[in-house]
Amino acid sequence: MDELSKSRDGKGCGDGKTGELKLRDGKESGDKRVNELHALVETVDELMSRCSFCDDVSALEILHFARSEIDEIQLEVEHVIADPNDRHSRNALQTELGDLIFNALLLSAVVERDCGVDPAAAIAAVREKVRRRSPHVFGGEIATSRKEAEAFWQREKGKENLRET
């Protein structure tokens, strides 16, 4: 989230009316995902600073919650695949996906607090890893099938493993 300003309250971030975020270069993010994710990060930060549950919750507890959310997401995905017109299952899937995203952000805040791991560094590292392992998207390679894309991913992963040893 490094390229985003710190707040949404009109203090250098948005206009306070539209809810749009301004990137550090002054441009507004038109991507609702970015705006909503930023707002959720702020919500988690507020919880971490003012909620007694968050004062005491451990990373292991949040991992338990997240596993439960994953199980619920799996069930809802299966329902939506079985009946794409089932509005109830689609809404439930959206809710459970949001819960998982919340748990991931809460986990990152607790791990930062308890283990000293920087969530921004983790996000940057995974973004770089995904880009490196997807040369068919972010480089000059061409993949015409899922199998070829997976082969590129595994090849790049293998190179990383060799560098680490």
Side-chain angles (χ1 to χ4, degrees):
M1 303 294 282
D2 186 32
E3 60 274 341
L4 295 176
S5 301
K6 189 67 177 161
S7 71
R8 290 176 55 122
D9 61 3
K11 297 178 183 171
C13 174
D15 64 7
K17 298 174 190 161
T18 66
E20 292 289 322
L21 294 175
K22 288 189 179 178
L23 302 177
R24 288 211 174 139
D25 63 6
K27 296 179 182 174
E28 288 187 352
S29 169
D31 189 334
K32 289 169 60 173
R33 296 171 303 171
V34 171
N35 296 332
E36 292 301 330
L37 188 57
H38 186 266
L40 183 57
V41 167
E42 289 181 333
T43 300
V44 168
D45 288 347
E46 188 78 12
L47 287 168
M48 290 299 292
S49 69
R50 299 180 49 207
C51 175
S52 57
F53 172 83
C54 291
D55 288 342
D56 294 328
V57 71
S58 72
L60 294 175
E61 290 175 290
I62 297 169
L63 286 168
H64 174 76
F65 302 149
R67 283 185 193 98
S68 174
E69 297 301 341
I70 290 169
D71 291 342
E72 293 173 16
I73 289 170
Q74 182 173 347
L75 289 173
E76 296 306 335
V77 166
E78 290 168 357
H79 289 149
V80 170
I81 289 171
D83 183 1
N85 296 318
D86 181 354
R87 217 177 284 164
H88 173 74
S89 291
R90 187 175 306 283
N91 290 339
L93 175 57
Q94 180 176 304
T95 298
E96 300 305 336
L97 182 58
D99 291 348
L100 180 61
I101 294 167
F102 167 72
N103 276 283
L105 291 174
L106 185 59
L107 177 64
S108 72
V110 170
V111 168
E112 180 179 33
R113 178 193 69 203
D114 296 347
C115 305
V117 173
D118 178 8
I123 292 167
V126 74
R127 179 181 40 80
E128 290 169 9
K129 177 171 60 175
V130 168
R131 293 181 69 87
R132 194 173 48 251
R133 290 183 183 179
S134 303
H136 56 289
V137 176
F138 302 106
E141 305 279 356
I142 297 173
T144 58
S145 68
R146 174 182 172 163
K147 185 176 180 178
E148 289 176 357
E150 289 174 348
F152 285 133
W153 183 277
Q154 291 302 322
R155 180 190 74 194
E156 297 304 317
K157 184 177 180 178
K159 288 179 186 178
E160 292 166 14
N161 291 337
L162 287 175
R163 283 191 295 267
E164 291 174 4
T165 57

